[in-house]
Amino acid sequence: SAVISQKPSRDICQRGTSLTIQCQVDSQVTMMFWYRQQPGQSLTLIATANQGSEATYESGFVIDKFPISRPNLTFSTLTVSNMSPEDSSIYLCSVVKGRDTGELFFGEGSRLTVL
Amino acid sequence: KQEVTQIPAALSVPEGENLVLNCSFTDSAIYNLQWFRQDPGKGLTSLLLIQSSQREQTSGRLNASLDKSSGRSTLYIAASQPGDSATYLCAVRSGTNAGKSTFGDGTTLTVKP
C-alpha cells in the first residue's frame, strides 16, 4: 500500500485568491495524479503530475488555472488559481503502486470551499 | 472513450442482508478494475483490485467479480453491517499500467441496524 498525506485537509477561501495543496507520499512512485470531486459527483482526473516536467492535463483543465509541480518522486503540489465558488470541491492526490498490479491509492483529500 | 456506470445509485438494506453492487464499462480493453469505498468527506479506500486476466477477488466479506467480455463487474457484500454504510466506487484502468482510470458515479449504501 501507500501512505499519502495531503495538506490542507480543508480550507475556506475567498473568491479571486489561490490555494496550493500539497501531496506527500511515503515512498517513491512513478505515477501521480490529481483528481477533483465536485459535490455529489464522482472523480474527474485533472492531470498527471510528471516528475521533472510539465504535467499532462485532461480536457477541460489548463495549466494557468491548475498549475502543478512535481520536484521529485514523493511530492507534488496542485494550485487552484483565481478561485470562484465553482471550484469548491474535494481535491484528491493519488498514486499507482505495484508495477504489475497498477493499484491506485488515494490521499484523504483536501476539501475546498470558495466563498 | 471508456464510460463506467454503476447501478443502483443508492441502496438501503437491513443489517445482515447480502447485497450486490454493479459496475459496467463500455471498452473491454482494460488493464484492471478496482473497487473503492468512500466515507462522507473523506478520501478513497481501496477494497479490491482485479487484473484483466482474473475473474474474481475476495477479501473478508467482500467478493468482486469481473466479466470483461460483457463489460461487467459486481461487488458482493455478505452479511452487511451498519459500518458498511458508505459510497462504493468502481474504477476501470484502460489499456496498460500507464493508462488512466475512469470512475463510475458510485453506489451509496445505507445499512440499517
Side-chain angles (χ1 to χ4, degrees), chain B residues 15 37 60:
Chain B
E15 181 176 5
R37 168 188 173 134

Side-chain angles (χ1 to χ4, degrees), chain B residues 8-91:
Chain B
L11 182 63
S12 180
V13 300
E15 181 176 5
E17 199 163 288
N18 302 326
L19 58 102
V20 174
L21 308 180
N22 298 289
C23 171
S24 62
F25 47 94
T26 55
D27 185 353
S28 62
I30 70 170
Y31 186 80
N32 62 33
L33 184 145
Q34 198 166 350
W35 283 92
F36 293 90
R37 168 188 173 134
Q38 185 176 31
D39 293 291
K42 300 290 188 180
L44 278 67
T45 300
S46 179
L47 297 175
L48 288 166
L49 171 71
I50 310 178
Q51 301 298 330
S52 63
S53 59
Q54 298 174 325
R55 294 299 297 262
E56 67 175 345
Q57 283 287 335
T58 298
S59 176
R61 294 182 294 108
L62 305 179
N63 175 275
S65 68
L66 173 64
D67 184 345
K68 272 200 318 180
S69 61
S70 66
R72 293 182 179 179
S73 175
T74 61
L75 179 65
Y76 175 82
I77 302 177
S80 58
Q81 303 170 356
D84 294 331
S85 298
T87 296
Y88 291 81
L89 293 156
C90 165

Side-chain angles (χ1 to χ4, degrees), chain A residues 37 42 99-101 104 111, chain B residues 31-32 34 38 41 46 97 104:
Chain A
Q37 187 176 32
S42 190
R99 186 191 306 186
D100 296 326
T101 63
L104 200 59
R111 179 183 288 272
Chain B
Y31 186 80
N32 62 33
Q34 198 166 350
Q38 185 176 31
S46 179
N97 191 22

